[in-house]
Amino acid sequence: MFRATVAICGRTVVKRFISSVSGESALPSNLRLPSNLIGVPREKRPPPSGSEHPLLRRCEAEIPAHLAPSQTWLHSLNSCDSETLGVVDLHPDVFSVPVRLDILHAVEVWQRNFKRISHAKVKSRAEVSGGGRKPWNQKGSGRARQGSIRAPHWRGGGVAHGPRGPTSYYYMLPMKMRVQGLKIALTSKLAQDYLHIVDSLEIPTPDPAYLMDLIKQRQWGDSVLIVDVGDEFPQNLLKATENLMTVNVIPAIGLNVHSILKHESLVLTLETVKFLENKLLWHDVRYSPLYPFKLPYNDLP
Amino acid sequence: MSLFGGLLRSTVTFCRSPSLLLCTRHFTTGSCSRVRMHAIPKLKEVDRWTEKRSMFGVYDNIGILGEFKAHPKDLIKGPVWLKGFYGNELQRLIRKKRMVGDRMMTEDRHNLEKRISFLYRRFNRYGKHR
């Protein structure tokens, strides 16, 4: 037995020695990807730097002196093979905030729960039909004393502590927390290379296959959320995305953390970026409300 | 595999020392497959990209992004007395009676009133919290 254990120990020692000596890769075997894996890994395009690309948009709001604007490419949806049009500046206080995952989680959970109304309801012993009369005398019958046939321990009786009536799970997070959640979501998308800025949403054909081709060729991911300001969208885009389930178009007012997290990639137009920066930066410099914001203020935009 | 346990045992018996036999434990590294492979229920297939699921949460920030003309609580679909309201059972029932009580049917109204008086007595008269 001793010889057997020595032999086993020797084998493992030899394996480790071989792997350290060969030095193919420091990754353990369960993290190494096989070489015949289907599916091309995303090639990260290096972020724009240097002055050779034209700067097509500067931030309207003032950027603090100690921060520099984050830059990203500007694409166009017009043709599959078109290269980037240039470089766009994004405000650092919206697109590179420190990523607080706890705030993101709190906002996502809030979105799931505040609208929830659970309609589960069971009848209590008072609501079940019948059961007003005492089934048998208190004393003399030999059976246990019972007061009604709809008591909770009876078959067909009411439930003692069941769900009662439509219940709401409504609560509100502080406004600044919800705003910060949006900023963090946008920051994470930019940092993970899933945020794409587009000049306009015009496409040449209303064919959904064109969009899928474009998305596949540019490696935008499985699902795309397209955001634009205003009510009118180009007809071609609406027709193309009508039957596509993973590519969705929403107005800028409808942007929210859950949709950003659900869709793999986010596409914003230049007007959307301006709108978002305007709305989200205001909360950093506003006074706390004396009365709800829905009532008129003379200095609110 | 279980071969190895057998091998170990055989080497021990070959050594023929009683102390070593007592030291070994019977072990096996294989499984006898007690899992009944034909009776495992199938996973239910959930489509994660239906209209409802892909559009969930849209307009939740309508106040922040939309100049505060609407509030997210206006988006809630449900009974009138629960929109934008959170409370325990007694508070919900009292609110229901105030808002919708005139329109209710007689039996429902009677049950509501019985439940309100029962909960009032339970919260305010018995127990530690009153």
Side-chain angles (χ1 to χ4, degrees):
Chain A
M1 172 216 169
F2 194 63
R3 267 179 271 156
T5 44
V6 161
I8 298 154
C9 290
R11 245 178 275 153
T12 46
V13 161
V14 165
K15 234 194 265 180
R16 275 199 212 154
F17 184 62
I18 287 174
S19 68
S20 63
V21 157
S22 65
E24 334 153 331
S25 54
L27 280 181
S29 56
N30 60 334
L31 292 180
R32 256 176 266 148
L33 289 174
S35 48
N36 59 347
L37 192 63
I38 306 169
V40 183
R42 286 178 83 229
E43 289 140 16
K44 272 200 178 183
R45 197 180 175 140
S49 62
S51 49
E52 64 265 16
H53 306 284
L55 190 67
L56 294 173
R57 179 202 176 247
R58 290 185 195 282
C59 299
E60 277 93 18
E62 276 180 31
I63 302 175
H66 65 287
L67 295 170
S70 9
Q71 295 187 321
T72 188
W73 300 107
L74 182 69
H75 300 279
S76 122
L77 293 179
N78 266 324
S79 75
C80 256
D81 307 319
S82 68
E83 282 298 314
T84 62
L85 301 174
V87 158
V88 154
D89 263 355
L90 299 172
H91 200 288
D93 275 338
V94 175
F95 288 93
S96 19
V97 296
V99 173
R100 288 271 308 265
L101 289 178
D102 58 329
I103 295 184
L104 207 59
H105 171 78
V107 173
E108 163 65 32
V109 166
W110 167 77
Q111 276 196 270
R112 276 210 300 260
N113 286 339
F114 85 98
K115 291 181 276 210
R116 179 179 168 206
I117 293 186
S118 143
H119 292 274
K121 180 174 184 177
V122 290
K123 293 187 171 12
S124 64
R125 65 182 285 176
E127 289 163 356
V128 178
S129 309
R133 185 177 64 204
K134 194 170 171 62
W136 45 79
N137 284 349
Q138 177 81 359
K139 301 185 74 64
S141 67
R143 286 167 288 183
R145 48 194 177 182
Q146 306 293 344
S148 105
I149 56 165
R150 304 301 190 193
H153 61 292
W154 278 67
R155 176 197 180 274
V159 178
H161 294 294
R164 291 299 306 168
T167 328
S168 84
Y169 293 80
Y170 172 78
Y171 66 103
M172 290 304 285
L173 285 178
M175 193 187 295
K176 291 189 186 174
M177 206 162 155
R178 286 177 273 139
V179 163
Q180 191 67 18
L182 260 179
K183 288 180 187 166
I184 292 169
L186 292 168
T187 311
S188 335
K189 284 296 180 195
L190 179 66
Q192 293 177 334
D193 225 23
Y194 278 123
L195 183 74
H196 308 283
I197 314 285
V198 155
D199 54 347
S200 86
L201 296 179
E202 306 283 345
I203 359 176
T205 54
D207 192 16
Y210 169 76
L211 259 185
M212 295 306 290
D213 268 341
L214 190 115
I215 290 167
K216 199 165 179 183
Q217 194 229 354
R218 293 185 183 180
Q219 293 181 337
W220 280 1
D222 296 325
S223 44
V224 179
L225 185 65
I226 305 178
V227 189
D228 191 13
V229 187
D231 309 324
E232 287 111 31
F233 294 92
Q235 278 300 316
N236 276 350
L237 185 71
L238 288 178
K239 272 193 193 148
T241 50
E242 210 174 349
N243 291 324
L244 283 177
M245 304 313 286
T246 52
V247 178
N248 295 309
V249 182
I250 56 171
I253 305 170
L255 194 62
N256 62 95
V257 164
H258 176 89
S259 300
I260 294 177
L261 292 177
K262 182 161 175 89
H263 294 81
E264 214 172 323
S265 180
L266 184 62
V267 172
L268 306 177
T269 52
L270 287 172
E271 292 92 31
T272 318
V273 173
K274 180 177 162 190
F275 172 82
L276 284 174
E277 285 183 356
N278 196 14
K279 291 287 179 183
L280 298 180
L281 286 171
W282 175 67
H283 290 276
D284 289 340
V285 294
R286 68 172 167 91
Y287 291 108
S288 47
L290 297 171
Y291 48 90
F293 283 121
K294 66 180 171 192
L295 300 173
Y297 278 81
N298 57 359
D299 50 353
L300 256 195
Chain B
M1 294 274 283
S2 52
L3 282 175
F4 185 66
L7 202 68
L8 198 57
R9 276 226 153 194
S10 55
T11 49
V12 164
T13 46
F14 183 67
C15 295
R16 262 191 240 151
S17 44
S19 55
L20 276 176
L21 243 171
L22 290 168
C23 292
T24 59
R25 272 183 298 143
H26 177 68
F27 67 94
T28 169
T29 48
S31 65
C32 300
S33 193
R34 279 170 177 258
V35 178
R36 293 154 63 237
M37 300 301 291
H38 57 279
I40 301 173
K42 274 190 183 171
L43 282 175
K44 66 173 179 183
E45 285 162 13
V46 185
D47 181 18
R48 291 289 165 202
W49 289 100
T50 61
E51 179 64 33
K52 196 173 174 186
R53 284 199 178 110
S54 44
M55 287 285 133
F56 183 81
V58 175
Y59 295 119
D60 276 351
N61 289 320
I62 193 162
I64 311 166
L65 299 173
E67 292 166 27
F68 305 106
K69 294 201 181 109
H71 191 280
K73 68 183 175 191
D74 307 328
L75 296 169
I76 300 176
K77 289 191 178 169
V80 186
W81 68 92
L82 283 182
K83 290 191 175 166
F85 174 79
Y86 179 82
N88 62 30
E89 196 193 337
L90 182 60
Q91 291 162 344
R92 278 181 274 129
L93 290 178
I94 292 170
R95 189 175 161 94
K96 180 178 179 183
K97 186 171 167 186
R98 292 184 71 164
M99 291 178 76
V100 170
D102 330 329
R103 298 197 266 148
M104 286 171 82
M105 295 289 134
T106 44
E107 280 184 22
D108 298 335
R109 173 100 193 224
H110 183 54
N111 283 337
L112 179 72
E113 283 169 355
K114 280 196 296 186
R115 187 78 189 163
I116 289 177
S117 58
F118 165 74
L119 286 173
Y120 177 87
R121 276 177 282 130
R122 201 180 79 190
F123 287 144
N124 296 330
R125 295 186 189 171
Y126 321 128
K128 191 172 169 185
H129 305 281
R130 65 176 88 172

